[in-house]
Amino acid sequence: MMACIQFLLLFCSFIYIFNVNPSCAQIPNSPIRSLVLPVTKDPATFQYLTTIYHGTSPEPVRVVLDLGCPSLWLECSSGRLSSSRRLIPSCSIQCPAAKPNNMSCASSAAMPKRKCTACGLSTENSITRSATRGELVEDSLTVQSVDGSKSGPVTTVDHFLFSCAPRFLLNRLARGAQGMLGLGRSRIALPSQLASKFGLQRKFATCLSSTDGLILFGHEPGYDSIFGEEISRSLMYTPLVTSPDGSGSSQDYSINVKSIKINGKRLSLRQKGIGVGTKISTTAPYTTLESSIYSSFIEAYKEAATNNYFLNMTVVAPVAPFGLCFSSKEVPSSMLLGPMVPAIDLVLQSEMVKWRVHGRNAMVPVLDEVMCLGFLDGGFKSKTSSSIVIGGFQLEDNILEFNLGTSMLGFSSSLLTRHTSCSDYHTRMMLSTLKDSL
């Protein structure tokens, strides 16, 4: 009898992880179509944060968003987290699904005499690039659903898998953060676990802001109701590609940038194939370019900004960490798009598909009457690094839809051209929730 019970528990664990049949998982009374996480930007570190609630008595936990992280990891030793979490043994079915770095045994059947230990995962702080061994655990996670154009009821994800990490891994994270929330491609990243739990499409959309933004998970009706049908149906699409070294093991989201244009003029670049693995990052504050690309880029931008009859911008001494700065004293500015400066186009699979960066996402105000080009020298490219990393400042007020099922990225370019912003969507949803609670 005991053997039969163990088999049934193992079987339910298997179908939960691989989404074979939802009958062993807790299903909400009404179907969930979309889920939402509010996002804020920390002004001290420029990191994007959200608050999650986990445990049987949901506890708020502040975490840093990381597109390329394969899972949620938390510092569990402080005593501030839920005590209802359960350690996952290395011989469980969940352990190989989570791709651990150190397993005691592949399965209890294959090695019945081998002692099972804690399931170890390689856990990384992508800000400091420090990695260490974490331990796989499970607990419940409470998330907010979407009801039309506003936040809906909260719902619970049981048996949510994440990693417990040592305290030192919190180094250089925003004040109060207790870990990082991974949105990568793994089976235990948040998008995959939510899709498995609620039967959602394996896709999510980010809408970041210099203040408040949001992330939506799930089906298109949620996108239409929040962003509006005109915007959500006008996204342009480009393929997501594998890691730069061709291994395909990276959790990062990358695209191919075929060329760069400034004010419509293509850059003359010494390096060929610049677009192999152009990474999109929420942990890099600004876009970085490989050194040989960067030197050509800033020279071309300076030429476009200073030798233009309509602009004639004045170059001033650079302010670290930026390499090219201008006087903003005589530069006209738009309420919507910011400084009227040369536009930057990232040309993707064809000349018709391009990501345009306007002044608001290009120029960073650093001092009184001084603004700097928000693109940095990323050093020389290694075999496995990306020649271009698109950073958070360039992502703000752009809708990005990451479709893991089709391996496509949808992007809106700046919402400011449509007289709206990501903070507007955040405010509308939060106000609707407040009104419903009164």
Side-chain angles (χ1 to χ4, degrees):
M1 178 65 69
M2 183 59 67
C4 291
I5 293 174
Q6 289 175 342
F7 173 79
L8 288 173
L9 289 174
L10 185 65
F11 179 71
C12 278
S13 296
F14 176 85
I15 63 177
Y16 170 77
I17 291 294
F18 294 99
N19 199 29
V20 175
N21 185 332
S23 60
C24 286
Q26 180 181 347
I27 303 298
N29 293 329
S30 58
I32 299 295
R33 304 298 299 275
S34 301
L35 300 160
V36 64
L37 282 178
V39 178
T40 60
K41 185 176 183 179
D42 179 61
T45 62
F46 307 128
Q47 295 167 14
Y48 301 95
L49 300 106
T50 190
T51 299
I52 61 171
Y53 294 82
H54 83 104
T56 52
S57 299
E59 300 289 337
V61 181
R62 200 175 185 217
V63 288
V64 175
L65 289 173
D66 185 357
L67 273 176
C69 186
S71 67
L72 166 67
W73 66 259
L74 299 173
E75 190 280 304
C76 302
S77 64
S78 63
R80 292 182 292 174
L81 299 182
S82 166
S83 60
S84 59
R85 62 185 180 276
R86 184 180 73 87
L87 195 66
I88 301 298
S90 59
C91 295
S92 69
I93 193 68
Q94 294 99 324
C95 193
K99 296 185 177 180
N101 65 328
N102 182 22
M103 292 178 56
S104 295
C105 51
S107 71
S108 56
M111 301 181 184
K113 296 182 180 180
R114 179 76 59 91
K115 182 181 178 181
C116 288
T117 61
C119 181
L121 294 179
S122 179
T123 307
E124 181 182 9
N125 177 332
S126 55
I127 307 293
T128 60
R129 297 186 179 178
S130 300
T132 189
R133 182 183 185 276
E135 294 183 337
L136 185 67
V137 298
E138 70 173 14
D139 205 342
S140 58
L141 182 77
T142 301
V143 288
Q144 190 89 46
S145 66
V146 175
D147 181 10
S149 61
K150 62 182 184 297
S151 298
V154 297
T155 187
T156 300
V157 182
D158 295 323
H159 310 294
F160 187 86
L161 297 172
F162 63 97
S163 176
C164 279
R167 185 169 181 77
F168 79 85
L169 217 59
L170 297 178
N171 186 35
R172 289 176 54 189
L173 295 189
R175 183 180 179 87
Q178 293 173 255
M180 303 188 80
L181 179 60
L183 300 174
R185 303 178 187 229
S186 80
R187 288 185 179 273
I188 63 170
L190 181 63
S192 292
Q193 290 203 63
L194 292 181
S196 176
K197 166 66 178 181
F198 299 110
L200 305 178
Q201 294 179 11
R202 294 180 63 236
K203 61 191 292 187
F204 64 96
T206 64
C207 197
L208 305 179
S209 166
S210 60
T211 53
D212 303 305
L214 50 85
I215 302 177
L216 283 174
F217 302 87
H219 299 318
E220 288 89 345
Y223 295 175
D224 292 349
S225 61
I226 301 302
F227 301 129
E229 185 173 343
E230 180 183 353
I231 291 178
S232 62
R233 300 295 171 86
S234 66
L235 300 182
M236 301 188 75
Y237 290 88
T238 192
L240 290 166
V241 299
T242 55
S243 55
D245 62 355
S247 68
S249 61
S250 173
Q251 297 295 319
D252 294 324
Y253 296 98
S254 299
I255 58 176
N256 278 333
V257 175
K258 297 295 187 182
S259 63
I260 302 174
K261 290 184 177 181
I262 298 176
N263 262 10
K265 184 177 180 180
R266 188 186 304 272
L267 266 66
S268 176
L269 298 173
R270 292 185 292 274
Q271 178 176 331
K272 295 183 179 180
I274 66 166
V276 179
T278 297
K279 177 181 170 181
I280 303 172
S281 173
T282 53
T283 56
Y286 304 100
T287 293
T288 62
L289 307 172
E290 191 271 340
S291 291
S292 65
I293 301 175
Y294 181 75
S295 60
S296 299
F297 178 78
I298 61 169
E299 286 304 316
Y301 199 92
K302 184 190 298 183
E303 174 75 15
T306 58
N307 292 337
N308 186 301
Y309 176 79
F310 297 102
L311 295 177
N312 196 26
M313 296 166 62
T314 302
V315 177
V316 298
V319 178
F322 306 105
L324 180 61
C325 299
F326 301 92
S327 168
S328 58
K329 186 176 181 180
E330 297 179 357
V331 177
S333 184
S334 163
M335 289 290 291
L336 293 176
L337 299 179
M340 305 299 288
V341 297
I344 301 166
D345 287 325
L346 305 179
V347 182
L348 304 176
Q349 66 264 34
S350 73
E351 293 291 329
M352 299 296 293
V353 184
K354 57 189 177 183
W355 182 334
R356 172 157 291 184
V357 180
H358 296 279
R360 181 79 72 185
N361 295 100
M363 288 293 168
V364 183
V366 294
L367 298 170
D368 289 341
E369 299 183 348
V370 175
M371 60 184 182
C372 297
L373 185 62
F375 290 73
L376 306 181
D377 188 341
F380 289 100
K381 180 179 180 289
S382 68
K383 288 184 179 180
T384 60
S385 64
S386 301
S387 51
I388 303 174
V389 177
I390 303 176
F393 188 75
Q394 281 69 42
L395 302 181
E396 290 175 2
D397 293 314
N398 288 256
I399 297 173
L400 299 180
E401 179 192 273
F402 299 86
N403 193 321
L404 284 70
T406 61
S407 291
M408 297 291 288
L409 172 75
F411 62 97
S412 65
S413 289
S414 179
L415 294 173
L416 302 177
T417 61
R418 299 172 181 267
H419 301 271
T420 189
S421 68
C422 292
S423 60
D424 288 343
Y425 298 132
H426 177 279
T427 300
R428 291 171 198 164
M429 294 195 73
M430 296 307 107
L431 286 178
S432 296
T433 303
L434 177 62
K435 290 176 183 178
D436 291 344
S437 65
L438 294 178

